[in-house]
Amino acid sequence: MSANGKTTNENSHTSPKFSNNNNRRKMDAAELKKEEEESYKEKPTNYFQAIVHLFKGNIGPGLFAMGFAFKHGGIAVSTPFTLLLALTCIHCQHLLVNCSIRMRAISGDEKYPDFAETVEQCFANSPTRFRTWSKSIRIAVNVFICITQLGFCCIYFVFISTNIKKILLGYDIIMDVRILMIICFVPIWLSILIRNLKYLAPVSAFAALCMILSLGITLYYATKDGLPPINERRMYTTPRELAIYFGTAIFAFEGIALVLPIKNCMKKPEDFDKPFGVLNVGMFIVTTMFTSAGFIGYTKWGEQVAASLSLNLGKTWGGVSVQVMVSLGVLFGYCLQFHIAIQIMLPTVTHAMTRHIQNPLLINLGFRTIMSIVTLSIALLVPALGLFISLIGALCSTALALVFPPLIDMLTEREGKYPHFISYTKNFLILLLAVLGFAVGSFESLYGIITHFGKDDLS
């Protein structure tokens, strides 16, 4: 009896202690979650503000890479295909929004589900044989989003450093582009330590303004002395080069991960996807800018067009100012792209590390620092800007923009046993385009990056 009693007393003494530790960890995790929710919480936006958010989410290095894309596609192919690709991406964004609306109606939630949640719920409400995939497919979507966003961050390092190198060369200062990346890491690292998005809003607006002014000045310098005859440029290219074009172009149009968050932040979410809503108007402006940059950039500089149009400008005041503004715009845009990936990964990391580190803030800042170093390391290893953009576009942007939207549309919009024939055919063609672009674009980009190793010319 006494032995049993002693054992019971010991158990009763240790169990509350063990329970208190678990409770404290749960409280820490709950506090971190609440803190993160507050960090990412934004005030409701109006119609114009939502367009600005959509605009800044789509305008980045991909805009200035469109001349590089047109070089690999040719004038006669790239121009109509860019418009077709834009219409396809916008249509897929509408498919995602429509599926989100259906899932919200089924679940009864107050807000529309995000990208990964929408895909998960579509699979969960699909025919029985697909329902078991719902959790796995949600993880896959989040992985693609993280790879894409962190890929953007890697490209930002390369983009900024190559522009700074061009500026310094104008003053006869020669520095290795990798050293410039390491120098750029300091301000970038300081910016990613800001965990509350509301403090980044002015930074984001400044970045968008820099990109708009940069494009305007670039197009002015490209057209002020007239453009060469179009027949001096290639009308079409080889299928291998066309694959590079596809990867670069789809990278430029990749903003689908921001669609649902922007819609959820609006005072009137119904204004987002109506005929003259935020999505159509905003993407019309973006498409016009991308097509103009690609067509004028390649027509002006031809086979000498660089992976970024800003690198083709001379030592004029305007050329230097564009390179400075583009560099600043991209530098200040890094932290916003970085936030999206961190928001997805941080809860899992915090849950795993809480048992070892009791301070959630230390975990947060430490993880941000580690991931920023990872993006810098990848950029140092793969300094080929144009090919890197094409690879990220072919691998991840294709899956997010052209694979998941038509797939979940076919799973959720069914008439009788099968989808409507026209809808089914349209979605099938989009998926076919995605698979071809994914396979060929990834292979050509990887091959180009491998052959690029050892070269010092990073322009």
Side-chain angles (χ1 to χ4, degrees), residues 63 86 99 136 229 241:
L63 171 63
C99 289
S136 300
E241 285 194 87

Side-chain angles (χ1 to χ4, degrees), residues 300-339:
K300 175 66 176 179
W301 290 291
E303 298 305 305
Q304 282 69 48
V305 67
S308 169
L309 293 178
S310 59
L311 300 178
N312 284 110
L313 300 177
K315 298 180 181 180
T316 62
W317 178 89
V320 174
S321 65
V322 165
Q323 290 158 9
V324 171
M325 285 191 294
V326 168
S327 299
L328 288 175
V330 173
L331 187 148
F332 287 122
Y334 179 100
C335 51
L336 298 174
Q337 302 291 352
F338 191 76
H339 260 292

Side-chain angles (χ1 to χ4, degrees), residues 94-387:
H94 277 287
L95 292 181
L96 177 63
V97 171
N98 292 337
C99 289
S100 177
I101 293 173
R102 293 178 206 142
M103 294 306 104
R104 177 174 176 259
I106 293 174
S107 63
D109 292 337
E110 181 180 354
K111 286 194 172 185
Y112 299 94
D114 62 22
F115 197 153
E117 291 170 345
T118 297
V119 175
E120 178 186 19
Q121 292 178 24
C122 286
F123 271 80
N125 289 279
S126 66
T128 306
R129 61 182 178 275
F130 296 113
R131 291 178 184 174
T132 56
W133 296 5
S134 60
K135 298 293 183 183
S136 300
I137 206 71
R138 175 180 60 81
I139 295 174
V141 171
N142 280 331
V143 168
F144 277 120
I145 292 176
C146 289
I147 292 176
T148 301
Q149 298 307 126
L150 294 178
F152 289 164
C153 294
C154 297
I155 291 168
Y156 282 13
F157 272 113
V158 181
F159 189 91
I160 296 167
S161 59
T162 49
N163 275 277
I164 294 177
K165 179 180 180 180
K166 188 76 172 182
I167 295 171
L168 295 177
L169 285 175
Y171 297 94
D172 297 323
I173 300 174
I174 301 175
M175 289 189 68
D176 189 280
V177 71
R178 295 170 180 83
I179 295 177
L180 291 172
M181 289 185 198
I182 296 173
I183 295 174
C184 291
F185 175 77
V186 177
I188 286 176
W189 174 70
L190 293 174
S191 71
I192 59 101
L193 296 180
I194 302 174
R195 296 171 297 121
N196 196 318
L197 285 184
K198 71 179 181 180
Y199 298 126
L200 294 176
V203 176
S204 176
F206 177 75
L209 179 62
C210 285
M211 300 303 286
I212 294 173
L213 292 176
S214 299
L215 179 64
I217 296 174
T218 300
L219 296 183
Y220 167 75
Y221 273 90
T223 58
K224 70 172 186 174
D225 297 325
L227 295 174
I230 295 179
N231 58 14
E232 293 184 5
R233 305 298 177 226
R234 290 189 295 173
M235 293 294 106
Y236 56 90
T237 58
T238 64
R240 295 187 65 174
E241 285 194 87
L242 188 59
I244 301 294
Y245 158 81
F246 177 83
T248 306
I250 192 64
F251 170 90
F253 282 107
E254 173 47 39
I256 195 168
L258 300 173
V259 167
L260 293 176
I262 293 174
K263 181 180 174 69
N264 270 326
C265 286
M266 291 186 67
K267 293 178 181 178
K268 297 180 179 180
E270 62 274 10
D271 289 343
F272 183 82
D273 50 317
K274 62 185 183 182
F276 290 95
V278 171
L279 181 56
N280 289 342
V281 174
M283 290 306 297
F284 173 79
I285 298 173
V286 169
T287 301
T288 302
M289 293 179 66
F290 283 165
T291 307
S292 300
F295 183 87
I296 295 176
Y298 177 56
T299 303
K300 175 66 176 179
W301 290 291
E303 298 305 305
Q304 282 69 48
V305 67
S308 169
L309 293 178
S310 59
L311 300 178
N312 284 110
L313 300 177
K315 298 180 181 180
T316 62
W317 178 89
V320 174
S321 65
V322 165
Q323 290 158 9
V324 171
M325 285 191 294
V326 168
S327 299
L328 288 175
V330 173
L331 187 148
F332 287 122
Y334 179 100
C335 51
L336 298 174
Q337 302 291 352
F338 191 76
H339 260 292
I340 298 174
I342 293 299
Q343 185 180 13
I344 293 172
M345 296 185 291
L346 187 59
T348 302
V349 173
T350 302
H351 178 75
M353 294 300 297
T354 301
R355 67 186 66 179
H356 305 293
I357 303 175
Q358 298 298 320
N359 190 337
L361 178 60
L362 183 61
I363 297 174
N364 191 330
L365 298 181
F367 181 62
R368 287 170 179 269
T369 300
I370 291 172
M371 292 309 301
S372 63
I373 293 174
V374 169
T375 59
L376 171 64
S377 302
I378 296 174
L380 290 171
L381 290 173
V382 189
L385 176 61
L387 295 171

Side-chain angles (χ1 to χ4, degrees), residues 84-98 256 279-280 401-402 405-406 409 423 426-427 430:
L84 176 62
L85 189 60
L87 290 174
T88 303
C89 289
I90 295 170
H91 175 70
C92 286
Q93 291 173 1
H94 277 287
L95 292 181
L96 177 63
V97 171
N98 292 337
I256 195 168
L279 181 56
N280 289 342
L402 300 179
D409 182 66
S423 177
K426 176 259 301 177
N427 287 329
I430 294 175

